[in-house]
Amino acid sequence: MITKEALQFLSDLIANNNTEWMHANKKRYESYKKDYHNFIASILNEMKPLDKSLEDLEIKNCTFRINRDIRFSKDKSPYKTNMGVWMSQNKNRKNSPGYYIHFESGNSFIAGGVWCPEPSELKLIRKEIEFFHDDLEAIVENKNFKKEFSDLDRAESNVLKKAPKDFDPNHPAIEFLKLKSYTASSKIDEKDFTKPDFSKKIAQQLIALKPLNDFLTRALETAD
């Protein structure tokens, strides 16, 4: 679970997103960071027995810096006001498939898969789908996957209007091949984050993504 003190810190940060406030509340931030790391540890404790590929992950592999990269952003707020946890199946690969937990007031969700792969990686994934689309279809149609995530993310911005270059527009899995990212996500109630059994319950939801992550990992292994 996330402590109420950690959530209050994020709430106060939303209203005071500046370096002066952060410096004045350094002790609160240190306490928040400790709660954040403890939260990650509890998630890893539940996930590692369910997905052996996560066994080498440490807390430091799953965290995000609170500082925002504002170099190319119109929003110059210096700090993130959300909390994220990223658990990758291969900590040494930049775009390795994995699991994600996101806490943000009004926009909390869980997700997994591969987001915005490099062009070379995207081609490998599409090649795997081209020849083994039955495997992916079985994953997406699995009742446990459908219960937790319904489908792969198919927002308009994530789908090509035409078949990707070098792929048959009449391929039976063309709707999979047209995706730019291979992710699935599900909204969750932010109140659940403070419940004592959160880690156990969220792990049971996230593990429904393991077959998808395994399929994507298989596709990307040829690049190693």
Side-chain angles (χ1 to χ4, degrees):
M1 61 181 286
I2 299 177
T3 66
K4 292 181 179 179
E5 290 78 11
L7 298 187
Q8 187 60 53
F9 173 82
L10 287 177
S11 179
D12 292 344
L13 181 58
I14 292 173
N16 302 278
N17 201 329
N18 59 75
T19 54
E20 292 79 13
W21 185 88
M22 182 65 85
H23 290 160
N25 288 269
K26 185 177 179 180
K27 287 186 178 180
R28 286 187 68 194
Y29 170 63
E30 292 300 328
S31 179
Y32 161 80
K33 188 163 66 171
K34 182 178 179 180
D35 287 341
Y36 175 35
H37 289 180
N38 287 339
F39 174 65
I40 293 172
S42 70
I43 297 293
L44 285 174
N45 187 55
E46 296 293 339
M47 287 296 295
K48 286 183 178 183
L50 302 176
D51 186 341
K52 298 299 184 183
S53 71
L54 305 178
E55 285 185 342
D56 292 337
L57 288 183
E58 301 176 43
I59 292 171
K60 65 181 181 180
N61 305 128
C62 307
T63 63
F64 293 88
R65 296 175 69 246
I66 198 167
N67 300 79
R68 295 180 63 245
D69 184 352
I70 60 176
R71 291 173 298 172
F72 308 107
S73 175
K74 291 182 180 179
D75 179 4
K76 298 303 180 182
S77 302
Y79 305 111
K80 298 171 185 172
T81 55
N82 59 65
M83 182 186 296
V85 179
W86 172 245
M87 295 169 285
S88 170
Q89 285 197 326
N90 182 347
K91 65 181 181 180
N92 297 317
R93 173 186 284 279
K94 181 181 177 182
N95 281 320
S96 173
Y99 310 88
Y100 181 63
I101 303 170
H102 184 91
F103 175 87
E104 184 177 6
S105 182
N107 183 36
S108 294
F109 62 92
I110 55 175
V114 174
W115 182 70
C116 289
E118 297 295 328
S120 60
E121 296 171 327
L122 184 55
K123 190 167 186 177
L124 287 173
I125 293 171
R126 285 172 172 161
K127 280 291 182 183
E128 191 75 12
I129 295 171
E130 182 179 34
F131 292 106
F132 303 103
H133 60 91
D134 289 349
D135 292 349
L136 182 57
E137 289 164 1
I139 290 167
V140 174
E141 291 300 320
N142 178 271
K143 64 179 183 180
N144 195 32
F145 179 90
K146 291 190 76 67
K147 173 188 172 185
E148 303 296 350
F149 297 95
S150 182
D151 194 4
L152 297 183
D153 293 325
R154 297 181 184 273
E156 186 176 350
S157 59
N158 190 42
V159 183
L160 295 174
K161 295 186 182 301
K162 298 180 180 180
K165 183 181 178 182
D166 300 327
F167 289 90
D168 180 4
N170 296 313
H171 191 281
I174 190 59
E175 296 308 316
F176 285 126
L177 294 170
K178 286 162 67 175
L179 295 176
K180 302 176 187 177
S181 291
Y182 289 87
T183 60
S185 59
S186 179
K187 294 283 187 181
I188 54 176
D189 190 334
E190 60 196 63
K191 293 179 182 178
D192 290 344
F193 280 84
T194 59
K195 294 179 179 178
D197 60 351
F198 177 83
S199 295
K200 184 178 290 292
K201 285 189 173 180
I202 213 67
Q204 292 300 320
Q205 287 182 265
L206 283 171
I207 204 61
L209 291 167
K210 185 178 184 300
L212 173 63
N213 285 337
D214 290 345
F215 177 87
L216 296 170
T217 294
R218 187 178 85 191
L220 295 171
E221 280 177 349
T222 56
D224 294 336

